[in-house]
Amino acid sequence: MIQIIDLQKSYENTTVLKGVTISIEPKAKYGLIGRSGTGKSTLLRCINALETFDSGRIEIDGTDITKLNKKELKYLRRDIGMVFQDFSLLGSLNVYENIALPLKCWRYKNQAIDTRVKELVEVIGLKDKINFYPRELSGGQKQRVAIARALALNPKILLCDEATSALDPKTAQEIVMLLNNINKELGITLITVTHQLSVLKNICDEISILENGKIACQGKTNEIFLKKPEALVNLMGEKELSLPTKGCNIEIYITEENSHTPIISDIAQKTGANFFVLDTNMEAFNQKYIGSVVLHTSENDTSKIVTYLNANQYVWHKL
Ligand code: ADP
């Protein structure tokens, strides 16, 4: 469990983190989003103690990281892997040597290094590229190698700082799948900083939105995208919808619980009401489609639809 409590951090005269509090459960997939310069990367670097902070606390599995001595800090960092947007591979080393680097630093025996590197190239699907140099790899392949290197010492936590931002959407999606597998198969806590909302939706179960060094909003990813609080609208920009003034406009929420029900066709078949679909805001979250649908109907047909929605306990409101 990672607990960040009332964290404050300044660089010279600028306060970058202004009292950030976040709890992250073991094996969670947690996301940090916000505009550029809101302190996300700084927060990540505080978690692995690459950065100090002015006040507040970070506890990892109950240990206050500011209380650790030099040797204990070294072990803490061993338990926390990190990947970056620019991959940070060493160009003069091949895939095998890049992945082996942390193991060599920790003075593992050659046989143990060999076994671990060969396991990891299987995990990242690059067995056939083991002797290639970074210049011979695509962006996605380089990020896979960086992920393998970050996993070399069996960390409990993996910090991803814009890990997919330099990749095209399809390659980014493949890295997202790899990170999801790593979380599921190896039970590693993932903390992801990204400005790509599609990445957040496909990796993170929970998120915090940072604004100006403060948490503007936090909670379950799908609930936040469904409710669209101001902090998310500020990031995404608001969609303008001009609605008809006659008749009635009803927004129906498709939540995780009812995402498997064909609500709209049920309304048509079971109520006999006539309506138009004016707008849909559906989003994919881990293979489930949730969001909202806006219907326009006459005053007469409104009561039929509303009665049906209430009887089935669907969430809706008039616009
Ligand atoms: P984000 O990851 O949200 O883009 P950062 O954590 O990188 O934000 O940066 C937050 C603010 O702190 C920015 O204004 C940045 O210029 C400043 N900053 C980050 N690192 C340093 C540093 N080492 N020295 C001085 N200012 C820094």
Side-chain angles (χ1 to χ4, degrees), residues 47 49 58 60 63-77:
I47 295 173
I58 297 183
I60 299 184
T63 304
D64 182 339
I65 65 167
T66 53
K67 303 257 160 69
L68 299 178
N69 62 32
K70 228 174 159 185
K71 189 173 172 200
E72 289 165 332
L73 262 183
K74 197 175 145 196
Y75 279 90
L76 171 85
R77 293 201 185 106

Short mmCIF file of all heavy atoms in Angstrom, two decimals, residues 47 49 58 60 63-77:
data_model
loop_
_atom_site.label_atom_id
_atom_site.label_comp_id
_atom_site.label_asym_id
_atom_site.label_seq_id
_atom_site.Cartn_x
_atom_site.Cartn_y
_atom_site.Cartn_z
N ILE A 47 7.85 9.47 -5.03
CA ILE A 47 7.50 8.12 -4.58
C ILE A 47 8.73 7.21 -4.56
O ILE A 47 8.90 6.41 -3.65
CB ILE A 47 6.38 7.51 -5.48
CG1 ILE A 47 5.09 8.31 -5.33
CG2 ILE A 47 6.13 6.03 -5.14
CD1 ILE A 47 3.98 7.91 -6.27
N ALA A 49 11.70 8.30 -4.20
CA ALA A 49 12.72 9.02 -3.42
C ALA A 49 13.87 9.55 -4.29
O ALA A 49 14.96 9.75 -3.80
CB ALA A 49 13.25 8.15 -2.28
N ILE A 58 5.28 10.10 2.78
CA ILE A 58 4.97 9.00 1.85
C ILE A 58 5.29 7.71 2.60
O ILE A 58 6.42 7.54 3.09
CB ILE A 58 5.79 9.08 0.56
CG1 ILE A 58 5.45 10.35 -0.22
CG2 ILE A 58 5.52 7.84 -0.31
CD1 ILE A 58 6.15 10.49 -1.56
N ILE A 60 5.28 3.56 2.26
CA ILE A 60 5.14 2.40 1.37
C ILE A 60 5.12 1.16 2.25
O ILE A 60 6.07 0.92 3.01
CB ILE A 60 6.27 2.37 0.33
CG1 ILE A 60 6.18 3.65 -0.52
CG2 ILE A 60 6.18 1.10 -0.53
CD1 ILE A 60 7.14 3.75 -1.66
N THR A 63 6.00 1.93 5.76
CA THR A 63 7.29 2.54 6.09
C THR A 63 7.35 3.97 5.57
O THR A 63 7.12 4.21 4.38
CB THR A 63 8.44 1.73 5.42
OG1 THR A 63 8.32 0.39 5.86
CG2 THR A 63 9.80 2.29 5.78
N ASP A 64 7.67 4.89 6.45
CA ASP A 64 7.84 6.30 6.08
C ASP A 64 9.17 6.42 5.34
O ASP A 64 10.25 6.19 5.93
CB ASP A 64 7.85 7.13 7.38
CG ASP A 64 7.98 8.62 7.10
OD1 ASP A 64 8.45 8.98 6.00
OD2 ASP A 64 7.63 9.40 7.99
N ILE A 65 9.12 6.76 4.05
CA ILE A 65 10.36 6.68 3.24
C ILE A 65 11.39 7.75 3.63
O ILE A 65 12.56 7.60 3.33
CB ILE A 65 10.10 6.71 1.72
CG1 ILE A 65 9.49 8.03 1.26
CG2 ILE A 65 9.22 5.55 1.29
CD1 ILE A 65 9.51 8.19 -0.26
N THR A 66 10.95 8.80 4.32
CA THR A 66 11.93 9.83 4.74
C THR A 66 12.79 9.33 5.91
O THR A 66 13.82 9.90 6.23
CB THR A 66 11.24 11.14 5.17
OG1 THR A 66 10.27 10.81 6.15
CG2 THR A 66 10.61 11.84 4.01
N LYS A 67 12.33 8.24 6.54
CA LYS A 67 13.07 7.73 7.71
C LYS A 67 14.12 6.69 7.31
O LYS A 67 14.82 6.14 8.16
CB LYS A 67 12.09 7.08 8.71
CG LYS A 67 10.98 8.00 9.18
CD LYS A 67 11.26 8.52 10.58
CE LYS A 67 10.49 9.78 10.93
NZ LYS A 67 9.07 9.60 11.07
N LEU A 68 14.19 6.38 6.01
CA LEU A 68 15.10 5.31 5.58
C LEU A 68 16.54 5.80 5.51
O LEU A 68 16.81 6.94 5.11
CB LEU A 68 14.69 4.79 4.20
CG LEU A 68 13.28 4.18 4.09
CD1 LEU A 68 12.99 3.74 2.65
CD2 LEU A 68 13.13 2.98 5.03
N ASN A 69 17.48 4.92 5.89
CA ASN A 69 18.89 5.28 5.71
C ASN A 69 19.31 4.94 4.27
O ASN A 69 18.51 4.43 3.49
CB ASN A 69 19.78 4.59 6.76
CG ASN A 69 19.72 3.07 6.64
OD1 ASN A 69 19.57 2.55 5.55
ND2 ASN A 69 19.83 2.38 7.76
N LYS A 70 20.58 5.23 3.94
CA LYS A 70 21.04 5.10 2.56
C LYS A 70 20.84 3.69 2.00
O LYS A 70 20.37 3.50 0.88
CB LYS A 70 22.54 5.46 2.52
CG LYS A 70 22.90 6.42 1.44
CD LYS A 70 24.33 6.82 1.59
CE LYS A 70 24.85 7.36 0.26
NZ LYS A 70 26.26 7.66 0.31
N LYS A 71 21.17 2.70 2.84
CA LYS A 71 21.07 1.31 2.40
C LYS A 71 19.59 0.91 2.19
O LYS A 71 19.24 0.27 1.20
CB LYS A 71 21.73 0.40 3.45
CG LYS A 71 21.86 -1.02 2.98
CD LYS A 71 22.66 -1.84 3.94
CE LYS A 71 22.58 -3.31 3.52
NZ LYS A 71 22.91 -4.19 4.61
N GLU A 72 18.75 1.36 3.14
CA GLU A 72 17.32 1.03 3.02
C GLU A 72 16.70 1.71 1.79
O GLU A 72 15.84 1.13 1.12
CB GLU A 72 16.59 1.47 4.30
CG GLU A 72 16.92 0.60 5.49
CD GLU A 72 16.49 1.24 6.81
OE1 GLU A 72 16.42 2.48 6.92
OE2 GLU A 72 16.24 0.47 7.77
N LEU A 73 17.18 2.91 1.49
CA LEU A 73 16.69 3.63 0.30
C LEU A 73 17.04 2.87 -0.98
O LEU A 73 16.25 2.80 -1.92
CB LEU A 73 17.33 5.00 0.21
CG LEU A 73 16.53 6.18 0.75
CD1 LEU A 73 17.30 7.47 0.52
CD2 LEU A 73 15.15 6.27 0.11
N LYS A 74 18.24 2.28 -0.98
CA LYS A 74 18.69 1.52 -2.14
C LYS A 74 17.74 0.32 -2.37
O LYS A 74 17.33 0.04 -3.49
CB LYS A 74 20.12 1.03 -1.85
CG LYS A 74 20.87 0.59 -3.07
CD LYS A 74 22.31 0.25 -2.72
CE LYS A 74 22.74 -0.90 -3.60
NZ LYS A 74 23.93 -1.58 -3.15
N TYR A 75 17.34 -0.31 -1.26
CA TYR A 75 16.41 -1.45 -1.38
C TYR A 75 15.02 -0.99 -1.79
O TYR A 75 14.33 -1.66 -2.54
CB TYR A 75 16.37 -2.24 -0.06
CG TYR A 75 17.54 -3.19 0.04
CD1 TYR A 75 18.73 -2.80 0.63
CD2 TYR A 75 17.46 -4.47 -0.50
CE1 TYR A 75 19.82 -3.65 0.70
CE2 TYR A 75 18.54 -5.34 -0.44
CZ TYR A 75 19.72 -4.93 0.16
OH TYR A 75 20.79 -5.78 0.20
N LEU A 76 14.62 0.21 -1.30
CA LEU A 76 13.31 0.75 -1.70
C LEU A 76 13.29 0.96 -3.21
O LEU A 76 12.35 0.57 -3.90
CB LEU A 76 13.06 2.10 -1.00
CG LEU A 76 11.83 2.85 -1.51
CD1 LEU A 76 10.58 2.35 -0.79
CD2 LEU A 76 11.94 4.35 -1.36
N ARG A 77 14.38 1.55 -3.74
CA ARG A 77 14.43 1.84 -5.19
C ARG A 77 14.48 0.55 -6.00
O ARG A 77 13.98 0.50 -7.12
CB ARG A 77 15.63 2.74 -5.50
CG ARG A 77 15.47 4.11 -4.90
CD ARG A 77 16.33 5.14 -5.59
NE ARG A 77 16.23 6.40 -4.90
CZ ARG A 77 17.18 6.92 -4.13
NH1 ARG A 77 18.33 6.27 -3.97
NH2 ARG A 77 17.01 8.08 -3.53
#
